[in-house]
Amino acid sequence: MLQPDLSLAPHDCSDCPIRHRAVCARCDADELAVLEGIKYYRSYEAGQTVIWSGDRMDFVGSVVSGIATLTQTMEDGRTQMVGLLLPSDFVGRPGRDGAAYNVVATSDLVMCCFRKKPFEKLMETTPHIGQRLLQMTLDELDAAREWMLVLGRKTAREKIASLMVIILRREATLNMKEPSGCLTFDLPLTREAMADYLGLTLETVSRQISALKREEVILLEGKRHVTVPDFSRLLEEAGDDSDGGMLA
Amino acid sequence: MLQPDLSLAPHDCSDCPIRHRAVCARCDADELAVLEGIKYYRSYEAGQTVIWSGDRMDFVGSVVSGIATLTQTMEDGRTQMVGLLLPSDFVGRPGRDGAAYNVVATSDLVMCCFRKKPFEKLMETTPHIGQRLLQMTLDELDAAREWMLVLGRKTAREKIASLMVIILRREATLNMKEPSGCLTFDLPLTREAMADYLGLTLETVSRQISALKREEVILLEGKRHVTVPDFSRLLEEAGDDSDGGMLA
DNA sequence: CGCAGAATTGATACATCTCAAGCTGGGTGG
DNA sequence: CCACCCAGCTTGAGATGTATCAATTCTGCG
């Protein structure tokens, strides 16, 4: 099914789960009403490709629920993930026609979309949208630069630990609290997708996860469910500064 | 001398060399006049640190002339360059107090600065500034993501070739033409700085440059001046798609 | 001239990749 | 209900690319 059931998708912005973090976060009631007029929802099943790099893209939008990946591929097939899209993340670039990356749904995915032209027009007249998009883009740029350090300078073990730290930090952001002590989460990615994120092979990912398990930095139930008995230990393994690394 | 001679710095925005590409690019005459009122220049000598990561930063600004690097460092000294700042590039983040990265002048450097608070206030009232900053940030994000592919998936030789391609592309952007055929440029970085950019050691950088020279992909005069007899050959060595990879 | 920083080159070590063989768990059809 | 299958994963052994350590060689400059 190309467009899975939409009945559960929110239709009213005021109960939207990403209302306060997405590109519309700063909009007031009037502005929201205009956005509401041009929005529509799309759903994708786990594994579906949302957009191919290079394709014409006539919409932009926000992830409402589910997870997607942003990847870049070389001709010979080497691929690098360049972004992990979680709920509230923005997809697409105003002012550009073609998609620069592949977007693939990693889980079932619901997106809130806007046709590009009307959205661009709206941006001209509604500063709150551009302001929020700037904020979000600056955050993504910081994330990309942090990831450059991971890719360029960290060992395989540090990379795996860094990935787990990032996932835990992003989850903690939702709950508005610092991660610490004993924590639990599910890996949203296959070993292969982790390898593409980390610039490793899937075998190396697997070996390093096994090593972290053997040394009890993490505990595993099944392949995906992870328990971190001591977050600061994980931070150490990631090679991060002991402080949260958070910036005002 | 902490603040080298400023006499050559432009004082009138209308003859500023970066007038049409910097954060002020979209401002009209009135808006420019306001900006002109709060701007000031700073100069740095080659090698000087402009900002230390974590330091309080009371200004934002644009590179007017010269080159600077943006780097991130781990406690044990491993460092990764996360950005190369050329004329017109923007430094600093509105809405944040501390610097996230080290900024170091690689050559003599002139910056056009704005105190942060007045600049932030101006952004609220002058949409053209925010719009331009959004555009520039999106471009930087694309550059960072392209670099993630380089760091995560390319071989040492491809990394060196990619660096040269990027430098040539950025120079070509100034002249508004696609690079092709026989080209010439100066490496703006030491071998060590290249290593920090590419996630390699300086020895590996040196060896790969020697190899590219031996195989006549490039010719060297001195350590810094490079001639590329055939740009498409360099592109191939970089592992890039043969087309320019340019996006609308 | 001679020094210091930058770069090159060599020998060896080691982390990660590659290729290959099995394992595991959840789903399917007989 | 069980046997089978298959994608995802783990583990092993050996190859390889890059790092590390060390010794020279350049190059510009006081």
Side-chain angles (χ1 to χ4, degrees):
Chain A
M1 169 167 45
L2 194 75
Q3 294 285 323
D5 182 32
L6 281 174
S7 58
L8 294 177
H11 286 271
D12 183 352
C13 289
S14 56
D15 351 297
C16 178
I18 59 170
R19 166 73 181 93
H20 298 290
R21 294 193 300 129
V23 70
C24 52
R26 297 180 61 164
C27 291
D28 57 34
D30 293 349
E31 294 164 341
L32 214 54
V34 183
L35 269 177
E36 189 130 26
I38 64 165
K39 87 176 185 203
Y40 58 99
Y41 292 94
R42 288 191 183 192
S43 296
Y44 303 86
E45 296 189 309
Q48 264 193 298
T49 294
V50 177
I51 306 151
W52 291 102
S53 170
D55 278 7
R56 184 177 173 71
M57 209 178 150
D58 55 348
F59 69 95
V60 297
S62 303
V63 174
V64 176
S65 65
I67 292 178
T69 62
L70 222 55
T71 59
Q72 224 171 351
T73 308
M74 295 172 67
E75 299 158 71
D76 62 8
R78 282 177 281 177
T79 93
Q80 175 65 49
M81 196 182 301
V82 297
L84 189 60
L85 299 170
L86 302 187
S88 85
D89 283 340
F90 189 79
V91 178
R93 173 165 176 174
R96 169 184 291 167
D97 282 336
Y101 312 102
N102 300 318
V103 180
V104 180
T106 279
S107 67
D108 288 346
L109 185 74
V110 178
M111 298 211 22
C112 172
C113 303
F114 309 98
R115 274 178 304 121
K116 194 148 59 70
K117 288 287 172 220
F119 185 83
E120 284 166 2
K121 209 163 284 171
L122 213 56
M123 275 185 61
E124 306 257 307
T125 57
T126 314
H128 283 165
I129 296 177
Q131 285 167 8
R132 176 64 184 144
L133 191 54
L134 175 57
Q135 229 175 44
M136 292 173 74
T137 306
L138 286 164
D139 285 339
E140 276 186 274
L141 183 57
D142 280 338
R145 284 173 166 166
E146 181 176 345
W147 210 245
M148 287 173 65
L149 177 65
V150 173
L151 290 173
R153 292 302 186 194
K154 292 195 177 179
T155 65
R157 166 187 270 247
E158 289 171 333
K159 284 177 173 181
I160 297 286
S162 296
L163 175 62
M164 293 179 177
V165 167
I166 283 182
I167 292 168
L168 285 165
R169 284 239 174 90
R170 289 193 69 159
E171 296 213 343
T173 304
L174 294 186
N175 312 329
M176 308 287 279
K177 60 182 179 192
E178 286 288 297
S180 68
C182 178
L183 299 165
T184 243
F185 68 100
D186 284 289
L187 287 168
L189 302 172
T190 64
R191 301 289 186 264
E192 185 178 17
M194 288 188 245
D196 285 342
Y197 202 174
L198 298 167
L200 298 170
T201 58
L202 71 91
E203 293 95 330
T204 298
V205 169
S206 182
R207 275 187 250 272
Q208 295 299 333
I209 289 179
S210 297
L212 289 174
K213 182 173 65 175
R214 202 177 318 119
E215 297 165 38
E216 296 178 326
V217 179
I218 59 171
L219 311 175
L220 275 184
E221 286 171 67
K223 315 284 185 188
R224 297 290 192 96
H225 192 76
V226 179
T227 301
V228 178
D230 178 5
F231 184 68
S232 65
R233 173 83 192 283
L234 186 66
L235 271 181
E236 232 171 79
E237 294 291 353
D240 282 20
D241 303 276
S242 44
D243 73 86
M246 292 278 116
L247 292 155
Chain B
M1 170 167 46
L2 195 73
Q3 295 283 322
D5 182 30
L6 281 176
S7 58
L8 293 177
H11 285 273
D12 183 351
C13 291
S14 56
D15 351 296
C16 179
I18 59 169
R19 166 74 181 93
H20 298 289
R21 294 194 303 128
V23 70
C24 52
R26 299 179 60 161
C27 292
D28 57 35
D30 293 350
E31 293 164 343
L32 213 55
V34 182
L35 269 177
E36 188 129 29
I38 64 166
K39 85 177 186 200
Y40 59 99
Y41 292 94
R42 290 191 182 191
S43 296
Y44 303 87
E45 297 188 308
Q48 263 193 298
T49 293
V50 177
I51 307 150
W52 291 102
S53 170
D55 277 7
R56 184 178 172 71
M57 209 179 151
D58 56 349
F59 69 97
V60 297
S62 302
V63 175
V64 176
S65 65
I67 292 179
T69 63
L70 220 56
T71 59
Q72 224 172 350
T73 307
M74 295 172 66
E75 299 158 70
D76 61 10
R78 282 176 283 178
T79 93
Q80 175 65 49
M81 196 183 302
V82 296
L84 189 58
L85 299 170
L86 302 186
S88 83
D89 282 341
F90 189 79
V91 178
R93 171 165 178 172
R96 170 184 292 168
D97 283 334
Y101 312 102
N102 299 317
V103 180
V104 179
T106 280
S107 68
D108 289 347
L109 185 74
V110 178
M111 297 208 26
C112 171
C113 303
F114 309 98
R115 276 179 301 121
K116 194 147 60 71
K117 287 285 175 228
F119 185 84
E120 284 166 0
K121 209 163 285 170
L122 212 56
M123 275 185 59
E124 307 255 308
T125 58
T126 313
H128 283 165
I129 296 177
Q131 286 166 8
R132 176 67 184 141
L133 191 54
L134 174 56
Q135 228 175 44
M136 292 174 72
T137 306
L138 286 165
D139 284 341
E140 277 186 273
L141 182 57
D142 280 338
R145 286 174 166 166
E146 182 176 344
W147 208 245
M148 287 172 66
L149 177 65
V150 172
L151 290 173
R153 291 303 187 192
K154 292 196 178 180
T155 64
R157 165 187 271 246
E158 289 171 332
K159 284 177 174 180
I160 298 286
S162 296
L163 175 61
M164 294 180 177
V165 167
I166 283 181
I167 292 169
L168 284 166
R169 285 238 172 91
R170 289 192 69 157
E171 297 212 343
T173 304
L174 294 187
N175 312 328
M176 308 288 279
K177 61 181 179 191
E178 286 288 297
S180 68
C182 179
L183 299 164
T184 243
F185 68 99
D186 285 290
L187 287 167
L189 302 171
T190 64
R191 300 290 187 261
E192 185 178 17
M194 287 187 248
D196 285 342
Y197 202 175
L198 297 167
L200 299 169
T201 59
L202 72 90
E203 294 94 329
T204 298
V205 168
S206 183
R207 274 186 250 272
Q208 296 298 335
I209 288 179
S210 298
L212 289 174
K213 182 172 64 174
R214 202 177 318 118
E215 298 167 36
E216 297 179 327
V217 179
I218 59 172
L219 311 175
L220 276 183
E221 285 171 67
K223 313 284 186 193
R224 295 292 190 95
H225 192 76
V226 179
T227 300
V228 178
D230 177 5
F231 185 67
S232 65
R233 173 84 192 281
L234 186 67
L235 272 180
E236 232 171 78
E237 293 290 353
D240 283 20
D241 303 276
S242 43
D243 73 87
M246 292 277 115
L247 292 156

